Amino acid sequence: MKKFELDTPALFIDLELFERNLALMRDTAEAAGKKLRPHAKTHKCPEIARRQIAAGNCAGICAAKLSEAEALADAGIGDILITSPVTAPWKIARMKELNRKISGLQVTVDNFEQIKILAKTADKNSPLHLLIDIDPEMGRTGVAYNDAPAMADFIMQFPQLILDGVQCYAGHLQHIKDYQTRCAESTRLMTMGANVFNTIKEKYPECHIFTGTGTGTMSADLQIPEVTDIQVGSYCMMDAEYLAVDHGKMDFAPALRMISSVINSKIPGQSTIDAGTKAIYVTPEAPAQVIEGNKIRTEYTYDWSFGDEHGRLTYPETICHKPGDRIELIVSHCDPTVNLFDELWVVKGDDVVDKWEITLRGCCC
């Protein structure tokens, strides 16, 4: 089957670009003496996680939510870090079962009550491995820099809890467009995290992990000596939001694409296509882009003004489209767009060569 024979809208992976992205990130991290800990929240696909591990230099896989980690474990992934603190008692009970199932589970903590519940739930024969989540002045999750050493002291009271390290992820920096501004701010915040890590490690040498980073800040963060591994996610797929960001010398390709089709073009310079808000996540500052081959067609503009089922393309009136024409798009934001689909078609050249299930779709708890 050819890619333009796919029913629409459909998501596909350009296999050659995908494999190039994996190799580029692996080699870049390895040259800096760091490991990868790729984030599955981007692709929600066990097959991609397996390929990231098989590509090498991988410390494990990240999951944002407990349900994602459970689905990865069911697919045979054994080394998983849950990057968002799990605090609800009923979820902690599930996490205990997951810890019994796989040997490489690690979880993040950011408050003392959570740690108390974990200590009551954990089994001495199957201790929980923890990382202290530091808030990099973002205000989302994490403990303040200055409070992290006291949290380490508290954790060390419980033999059923093992402190593996520190996490510091500045999500709010990833899409700052200017490369120098983004790198300088990430260096400032990650250096503060490194100082905390050093303080804790000096007292507790078993604390050996300093993790964080995203696709947008990895170039700067790889220069922090204390960083042990990077939690990059979007690099394997890329999207319009990341392509609008200056990545310096890094050149990750848009491997994730969407095939849509024209419904009508009754107004000159405008087409209605079959990909609206139910197919492409709404990111107004970085709308989907039309691409042909590997060339972005800047004369096209996509917007979501036609609602749930339909998208609107506008373009110069010299361009003509007819119903049924196929349109290839780079999506606005890969993570939540992938979560709208059940499968990723895999394309090499123009040929469909495989299909990967998005098994973690809807794993939001």
Side-chain angles (χ1 to χ4, degrees), residues 84 129 131 148 184 189 198 219 238 273 298 312 336 357:
S84 297
H129 290 255
L131 277 76
L189 295 172
N198 286 333
S219 294
M238 299 301 283
I273 64 173
T298 56
R312 181 175 71 166
E357 301 299 323

PDB file of all heavy atoms in Angstrom, residues 84 129 131 148 184 189 198 219 238 273 298 312 336 357:
ATOM      1  N   SER A  84       5.862  12.341  36.948  1.00  0.00           N
ATOM      2  CA  SER A  84       4.913  13.169  37.697  1.00  0.00           C
ATOM      3  C   SER A  84       4.605  12.480  39.029  1.00  0.00           C
ATOM      4  O   SER A  84       4.290  11.284  39.042  1.00  0.00           O
ATOM      5  CB  SER A  84       3.612  13.370  36.916  1.00  0.00           C
ATOM      6  OG  SER A  84       3.855  14.076  35.712  1.00  0.00           O
ATOM      7  N   HIS A 129      11.998   2.909  44.623  1.00  0.00           N
ATOM      8  CA  HIS A 129      13.118   3.773  44.264  1.00  0.00           C
ATOM      9  C   HIS A 129      12.590   5.162  43.909  1.00  0.00           C
ATOM     10  O   HIS A 129      11.736   5.299  43.032  1.00  0.00           O
ATOM     11  CB  HIS A 129      13.896   3.174  43.097  1.00  0.00           C
ATOM     12  CG  HIS A 129      14.665   1.948  43.464  1.00  0.00           C
ATOM     13  ND1 HIS A 129      16.038   1.950  43.631  1.00  0.00           N
ATOM     14  CD2 HIS A 129      14.252   0.677  43.737  1.00  0.00           C
ATOM     15  CE1 HIS A 129      16.440   0.734  43.960  1.00  0.00           C
ATOM     16  NE2 HIS A 129      15.378  -0.052  44.035  1.00  0.00           N
ATOM     17  N   LEU A 131      13.024   9.527  43.200  1.00  0.00           N
ATOM     18  CA  LEU A 131      13.776  10.703  42.796  1.00  0.00           C
ATOM     19  C   LEU A 131      13.031  11.924  43.322  1.00  0.00           C
ATOM     20  O   LEU A 131      11.798  12.003  43.208  1.00  0.00           O
ATOM     21  CB  LEU A 131      13.907  10.808  41.278  1.00  0.00           C
ATOM     22  CG  LEU A 131      15.024   9.991  40.607  1.00  0.00           C
ATOM     23  CD1 LEU A 131      14.633   8.523  40.537  1.00  0.00           C
ATOM     24  CD2 LEU A 131      15.331  10.536  39.221  1.00  0.00           C
ATOM     25  N   ALA A 148      14.963  20.654  49.040  1.00  0.00           N
ATOM     26  CA  ALA A 148      15.240  19.287  48.595  1.00  0.00           C
ATOM     27  C   ALA A 148      16.148  18.510  49.553  1.00  0.00           C
ATOM     28  O   ALA A 148      15.892  17.318  49.815  1.00  0.00           O
ATOM     29  CB  ALA A 148      15.837  19.304  47.191  1.00  0.00           C
ATOM     30  N   ALA A 184      20.641  29.957  28.036  1.00  0.00           N
ATOM     31  CA  ALA A 184      21.128  30.662  29.232  1.00  0.00           C
ATOM     32  C   ALA A 184      20.209  30.420  30.424  1.00  0.00           C
ATOM     33  O   ALA A 184      20.678  30.177  31.553  1.00  0.00           O
ATOM     34  CB  ALA A 184      21.240  32.153  28.941  1.00  0.00           C
ATOM     35  N   LEU A 189      19.003  27.401  35.659  1.00  0.00           N
ATOM     36  CA  LEU A 189      18.135  26.566  36.495  1.00  0.00           C
ATOM     37  C   LEU A 189      18.738  25.183  36.738  1.00  0.00           C
ATOM     38  O   LEU A 189      18.656  24.638  37.845  1.00  0.00           O
ATOM     39  CB  LEU A 189      16.761  26.444  35.844  1.00  0.00           C
ATOM     40  CG  LEU A 189      15.956  27.747  35.744  1.00  0.00           C
ATOM     41  CD1 LEU A 189      14.704  27.538  34.917  1.00  0.00           C
ATOM     42  CD2 LEU A 189      15.605  28.279  37.131  1.00  0.00           C
ATOM     43  N   ASN A 198      24.528  17.795  44.190  1.00  0.00           N
ATOM     44  CA  ASN A 198      25.844  17.609  44.818  1.00  0.00           C
ATOM     45  C   ASN A 198      25.750  17.613  46.339  1.00  0.00           C
ATOM     46  O   ASN A 198      26.426  16.829  47.019  1.00  0.00           O
ATOM     47  CB  ASN A 198      26.802  18.701  44.350  1.00  0.00           C
ATOM     48  CG  ASN A 198      27.279  18.483  42.923  1.00  0.00           C
ATOM     49  OD1 ASN A 198      27.323  17.358  42.452  1.00  0.00           O
ATOM     50  ND2 ASN A 198      27.619  19.565  42.238  1.00  0.00           N
ATOM     51  N   SER A 219      20.659  20.790  24.321  1.00  0.00           N
ATOM     52  CA  SER A 219      21.993  21.254  23.923  1.00  0.00           C
ATOM     53  C   SER A 219      22.718  21.928  25.077  1.00  0.00           C
ATOM     54  O   SER A 219      23.918  21.725  25.290  1.00  0.00           O
ATOM     55  CB  SER A 219      21.885  22.219  22.736  1.00  0.00           C
ATOM     56  OG  SER A 219      21.407  21.551  21.592  1.00  0.00           O
ATOM     57  N   MET A 238       8.934  15.317  16.280  1.00  0.00           N
ATOM     58  CA  MET A 238       8.931  16.746  15.975  1.00  0.00           C
ATOM     59  C   MET A 238       7.544  17.212  15.497  1.00  0.00           C
ATOM     60  O   MET A 238       6.691  16.418  15.144  1.00  0.00           O
ATOM     61  CB  MET A 238      10.013  17.123  14.984  1.00  0.00           C
ATOM     62  CG  MET A 238      11.413  16.813  15.489  1.00  0.00           C
ATOM     63  SD  MET A 238      11.836  17.649  17.049  1.00  0.00           S
ATOM     64  CE  MET A 238      12.173  19.303  16.491  1.00  0.00           C
ATOM     65  N   ILE A 273     -10.662  20.736   4.731  1.00  0.00           N
ATOM     66  CA  ILE A 273     -10.081  19.399   4.801  1.00  0.00           C
ATOM     67  C   ILE A 273     -10.688  18.638   5.977  1.00  0.00           C
ATOM     68  O   ILE A 273     -11.378  19.212   6.818  1.00  0.00           O
ATOM     69  CB  ILE A 273      -8.544  19.455   4.920  1.00  0.00           C
ATOM     70  CG1 ILE A 273      -8.108  20.129   6.236  1.00  0.00           C
ATOM     71  CG2 ILE A 273      -7.943  20.170   3.711  1.00  0.00           C
ATOM     72  CD1 ILE A 273      -6.596  20.065   6.479  1.00  0.00           C
ATOM     73  N   THR A 298       5.130  27.162   2.662  1.00  0.00           N
ATOM     74  CA  THR A 298       4.817  28.326   3.508  1.00  0.00           C
ATOM     75  C   THR A 298       3.680  29.166   2.954  1.00  0.00           C
ATOM     76  O   THR A 298       3.148  30.027   3.663  1.00  0.00           O
ATOM     77  CB  THR A 298       6.065  29.209   3.680  1.00  0.00           C
ATOM     78  OG1 THR A 298       6.557  29.595   2.386  1.00  0.00           O
ATOM     79  CG2 THR A 298       7.155  28.460   4.431  1.00  0.00           C
ATOM     80  N   ARG A 312      -9.365  24.312   7.995  1.00  0.00           N
ATOM     81  CA  ARG A 312      -9.370  25.225   6.857  1.00  0.00           C
ATOM     82  C   ARG A 312      -7.940  25.480   6.391  1.00  0.00           C
ATOM     83  O   ARG A 312      -7.063  25.785   7.194  1.00  0.00           O
ATOM     84  CB  ARG A 312     -10.035  26.549   7.227  1.00  0.00           C
ATOM     85  CG  ARG A 312     -10.092  27.530   6.044  1.00  0.00           C
ATOM     86  CD  ARG A 312     -10.856  28.781   6.373  1.00  0.00           C
ATOM     87  NE  ARG A 312     -10.121  29.640   7.299  1.00  0.00           N
ATOM     88  CZ  ARG A 312     -10.435  30.911   7.539  1.00  0.00           C
ATOM     89  NH1 ARG A 312     -11.502  31.458   6.948  1.00  0.00           N
ATOM     90  NH2 ARG A 312      -9.730  31.616   8.402  1.00  0.00           N
ATOM     91  N   PRO A 336      -0.212  15.571  22.260  1.00  0.00           N
ATOM     92  CA  PRO A 336      -1.658  15.406  22.374  1.00  0.00           C
ATOM     93  C   PRO A 336      -2.325  15.026  21.057  1.00  0.00           C
ATOM     94  O   PRO A 336      -3.435  14.477  21.075  1.00  0.00           O
ATOM     95  CB  PRO A 336      -2.142  16.777  22.865  1.00  0.00           C
ATOM     96  CG  PRO A 336      -1.103  17.733  22.407  1.00  0.00           C
ATOM     97  CD  PRO A 336       0.193  16.983  22.432  1.00  0.00           C
ATOM     98  N   GLU A 357       0.859   0.211  17.076  1.00  0.00           N
ATOM     99  CA  GLU A 357      -0.294   0.572  17.903  1.00  0.00           C
ATOM    100  C   GLU A 357       0.079   1.648  18.923  1.00  0.00           C
ATOM    101  O   GLU A 357       1.132   1.574  19.564  1.00  0.00           O
ATOM    102  CB  GLU A 357      -0.822  -0.661  18.632  1.00  0.00           C
ATOM    103  CG  GLU A 357      -1.265  -1.802  17.722  1.00  0.00           C
ATOM    104  CD  GLU A 357      -2.393  -1.404  16.805  1.00  0.00           C
ATOM    105  OE1 GLU A 357      -3.285  -0.630  17.239  1.00  0.00           O
ATOM    106  OE2 GLU A 357      -2.404  -1.872  15.626  1.00  0.00           O
TER     107      GLU A 357
END
